[in-house]
Amino acid sequence: MYSVSNKYKLDMKEPVARLSLRGLISGVAFNEDNLVGGSLSITNQCVDNDEILLGAAYIGELQATFQNVNINRYEWVGKVITPYHIRVFPDNTREEVPLGVFTIAEAVWSADGVSVVAYDNMSKLDKTATFNATSGTAYGILSNICTMCGLTLGMTEEEVEALPNGTETLGLWAENDIETFRDMISWLAQTLASIVLVDRVGRIYLKPYGMTSIDDIGAENRFLDAMFSDYESRYSGLSVVDIATKQTKYYGTEPDIYLTYNLGSNPFMQYGLPVTKDRMARAILNSLSATAYVPFSVTMLGDPAYDLGDVITLSGGLGDNTKHFVIQRYSYNLHNNYTAEGVGKNPDVANAKSKTDKQIQGLLNNQNQNVIQYYFYTNSDDIVIKDTRTKTIIDLRFASLKATVVMFQAEVMLEADSTVSGINYNDIVGTVTYYINYSEVQERHPVETWVDGDHILHLLYHIRIGDAELTKFTVTLTANGGDIHIPVNGVEAAISGQGLAATDEWSGFIDFEEVIEEVTLGDFSVDDNMTDVVNAWLDTPYNPANTETLDEIDLGGMELEGFSDMLLIDKDMMSQKTHQELSDYTHAQINNLFIYG
């Protein structure tokens, strides 16, 4: 719900309302007198038909017919409309609610005036995605998408990280059906168990479903055509396609008696170890299964303070204020009515199908060994390379279905700064190093020399690939004589070749990078040329048991024959080293230290 005053909220519940409207069309003011019959209307939604939808990224639409507005003919399309809803209180004070930012896409002239259709900033995401392989944090990828589309992200990094899977490192599976950035952000929002919305000033943000009611709408504020379902729509299962194996993985909660949500072949849910993918799927299911909404439709006095995804209660009359209702579709018109709807399937009706039909409908792309495949990469975070330092700027993993030659091309936009600690070195030398499966390419080290300012680094290299081989190709850049800064999306890299395929198989390597800054200790300093060693070893699990044989025991008038007993040290597995340490203890020490100690 848009943040309005308590005075506004109270006046929303009054039976009589004084409403008005004003706005700007690219700086040209208009008011209600310029609208034919109060014709301005706004519609929006975050669902398809009858089922809740994660990752929804729908475009809000404004329609209106204007007259006597000082804009020349043939100049309407492309102009921006920013309307404001005005509520006038009994004491003649007023409060405004912005309705959004809309760009005119169509304008038709008639005797009545100029009829326009305008769309909110979600439409700017309908731009061809220029990369289909990237990795980084959810916040970094979201910021990058917004930058590419000329939009502003209306969330802080902390707000993104608070979403389900918001702290995961995500990778975008290269084999996907993403065509536009709206497709991409939709899949990303689904991974974060959220929907994509545009706020009142045109910023993009993600919103998860919840169960906290923001308002109660009583029967006196609803009209007679209100309708309520007699069931709650809720989920206890989730399925997702593993593109590499072309199999569907199912996850459920207990009791698993409700609906199953279909994630499809989400390209952000394909990378990582099985435990990682399971953790991410469980996070989405946990968020979704915590909600339970009753489908509804209500018509009330027109007020646009409510947002998509708002949870409300509907008390009085046929309403049940113990249940929750979520706004998933609305229609606003100034002097007509405000209609809000929430949808959802009946678990009892849909249960049989959803529990027996776990397979997801959809096409998986078939690889053709004779077709040239293209895969693209860009950076989602800033890259800063300090003087004398080296950093990885490109990291690509791909598989070949046959012996082939892959062409690598890249363009890197960078800023060079030759001033280090107050000393100007005039020129900066950048040295590029290629690595194939962690082995340095010795025969080729491109070198560029730059003065202060912005530059473009072009790279080209041909990689010979063996038959059915997994390849990790990385590019590092070393700075000498100054610092190098590569902004977000400054790297545009591509590989192309016949018989290529993306893969989610783990290569068996874990990459570590540790940066130790200069350490000052009194009057002397430790140079940053330091080395470190990472030791790794394999502990073999061992399930030990100790056996002790007792001699004959004389108990006065009775005699107990010798016997042996079995002492299990622990039910859990332990290493051979730990087993050896425990073997050195006597029976009495084990009894005192570990059993009764």
Side-chain angles (χ1 to χ4, degrees), residues 259-281:
L259 297 168
T260 297
Y261 191 88
N262 180 353
L263 289 181
S265 53
N266 186 323
F268 285 102
M269 298 285 292
Q270 305 299 324
Y271 280 112
L273 296 172
V275 65
T276 302
K277 293 189 280 189
D278 289 349
R279 181 178 65 245
M280 293 173 62

Side-chain angles (χ1 to χ4, degrees), residues 23-30 66 69 71 76 79-82 104:
L24 296 171
I25 305 177
S26 292
V28 178
F30 71 89
F66 294 95
V69 177
I71 298 177
W76 285 77
K79 291 191 177 298
V80 176
I81 302 178
T82 51
I104 298 175

Side-chain angles (χ1 to χ4, degrees), residues 516-521 524-530:
I516 301 177
E517 301 294 341
E518 186 178 48
V519 180
T520 302
L521 300 173
F524 64 95
S525 64
V526 178
D527 192 87
D528 61 353
N529 294 323
M530 303 178 67

Side-chain angles (χ1 to χ4, degrees), residues 584-595 597:
D584 295 335
Y585 286 106
T586 66
H587 183 280
Q589 289 174 322
I590 292 175
N591 189 68
N592 293 333
L593 293 174
F594 298 99
I595 300 178

